[in-house]
Amino acid sequence: MDKIKIFITALLLAITGSPAQVYLPSDGLKQGDTLLIKIDSPISEGKITGEFNFKKIYFSQATEKSKAAFLGIDAKEKTGKHILILNYPWGKTIKKEISIAKTEFSTTELLVTKALQKKGYAPEKIIKNIQSKEGPLLAKILNIYTPEAYFNKAFINPLKDIKIIGAFGIVKKTGSSTIQHLGIDLEAKIGTKVFASNDGKVSFSEELPDYGKTIIIDHGFGIYSLYLHLDK
């Protein structure tokens, strides 16, 4: 969060006469980024609702006098101008235009090791399974919003030593089929301990055909962390 540049985008007066400021992280907002919306307001009661690109925004009480919401920008989100709408409990609505820039993700061939080929894995089969089965299953879980935070400290890395061998957003291609890698692959030996990135509740723990042993942790505020390809 320390890398997010914040600026004031709107200033209005509440019915009490006290100012309510809206802050948005929008400097260079691109596909695959995270949008933070923070509202500092003397009004601790009353529901603030929002919408961005026809998607609902859920605000949670961050402190006694502030509300916050996180919104992930899809790696395939349409570039250009989008409308942010904020609705205040006293009937005031404000709209803000936000531009999303294109992220240049690299493309690589989807390769399958000989060991996996012997187990029946093939590039086309992997893509089909992820697009038709595993992807929708995980999306259903991740679309559940928890309005409270289960954490009160900073997030940590899942491994002591971080070596990225599969970048976020890379497009993997085989023949005419493509799939986008929406995680980060980290190198680790079998038996290496994997740490939960923060406190939360386990919302999913199963073995999937392509993602392998998978755990999803709900940290609250719409924030999840996923751990795939686990040994046990």
Side-chain angles (χ1 to χ4, degrees):
M1 302 307 298
D2 57 331
K3 294 182 179 179
I4 295 179
K5 295 182 179 180
I6 298 175
F7 72 103
I8 299 176
T9 60
L11 178 63
L12 53 119
L13 295 178
I15 52 177
T16 59
S18 301
Q21 297 174 324
V22 180
Y23 300 86
L24 297 172
S26 65
D27 183 46
L29 190 65
K30 303 183 297 296
Q31 294 169 322
D33 281 347
T34 300
L35 177 67
L36 166 66
I37 305 170
K38 183 182 177 184
I39 299 177
D40 292 330
S41 171
I43 301 175
S44 59
E45 297 181 359
K47 185 177 181 180
I48 298 176
T49 61
E51 184 178 297
F52 181 73
N53 198 25
F54 303 106
K55 297 177 183 177
K56 288 184 179 180
I57 299 174
Y58 298 94
F59 283 91
S60 299
Q61 201 72 34
T63 66
E64 184 179 348
K65 293 185 178 181
S66 69
K67 297 178 185 292
F70 296 92
L71 183 65
I73 305 301
D74 197 293
K76 300 177 182 178
E77 185 63 82
K78 182 180 178 181
T79 58
K81 295 180 179 179
H82 298 261
I83 302 297
L84 169 69
I85 300 173
L86 298 176
N87 302 305
Y88 287 80
W90 57 88
K92 177 70 175 181
T93 296
I94 63 172
K95 295 182 180 181
K96 173 67 181 178
E97 249 186 21
I98 297 180
S99 294
I100 297 178
K102 181 179 177 60
T103 300
E104 296 295 340
F105 296 111
S106 59
T107 301
T108 186
E109 188 74 17
L110 177 59
L111 301 176
V112 179
T113 63
K114 290 183 178 180
L116 289 175
Q117 288 176 2
K118 290 181 179 179
K119 293 181 180 180
Y121 287 88
E124 295 82 3
K125 183 179 179 181
I126 292 174
I127 290 178
K128 183 178 179 180
N129 280 342
I130 291 176
Q131 291 178 337
S132 63
K133 297 178 182 179
E134 296 176 33
L137 172 64
L138 298 188
K140 184 177 180 180
I141 297 167
L142 301 178
N143 282 334
I144 299 174
Y145 180 81
T146 302
E148 61 180 305
Y150 296 134
F151 61 95
N152 58 10
K153 56 182 181 290
F155 281 74
I156 64 171
N157 288 325
L159 299 177
K160 286 184 177 179
D161 300 314
I162 299 296
K163 182 178 180 181
I164 298 175
I165 58 174
F168 171 82
I170 190 170
V171 178
K172 297 188 177 183
K173 183 178 180 180
T174 179
S176 60
S177 300
T178 60
I179 192 168
Q180 192 164 20
H181 188 234
L182 299 179
I184 295 177
D185 288 336
L186 304 175
E187 183 178 70
K189 295 180 179 179
I190 293 178
T192 300
K193 291 183 179 180
V194 179
F195 306 110
S197 293
N198 214 324
D199 294 336
K201 291 186 177 182
V202 175
S203 57
F204 183 84
S205 178
E206 289 186 24
E207 183 167 2
L208 302 174
D210 297 287
Y211 288 142
K213 292 181 175 66
T214 299
I215 289 178
I216 300 178
I217 298 178
D218 179 4
H219 302 288
F221 276 7
I223 304 171
Y224 287 83
S225 58
L226 289 74
Y227 311 82
L228 288 66
H229 312 303
L230 299 173
D231 177 53
K232 64 179 180 180

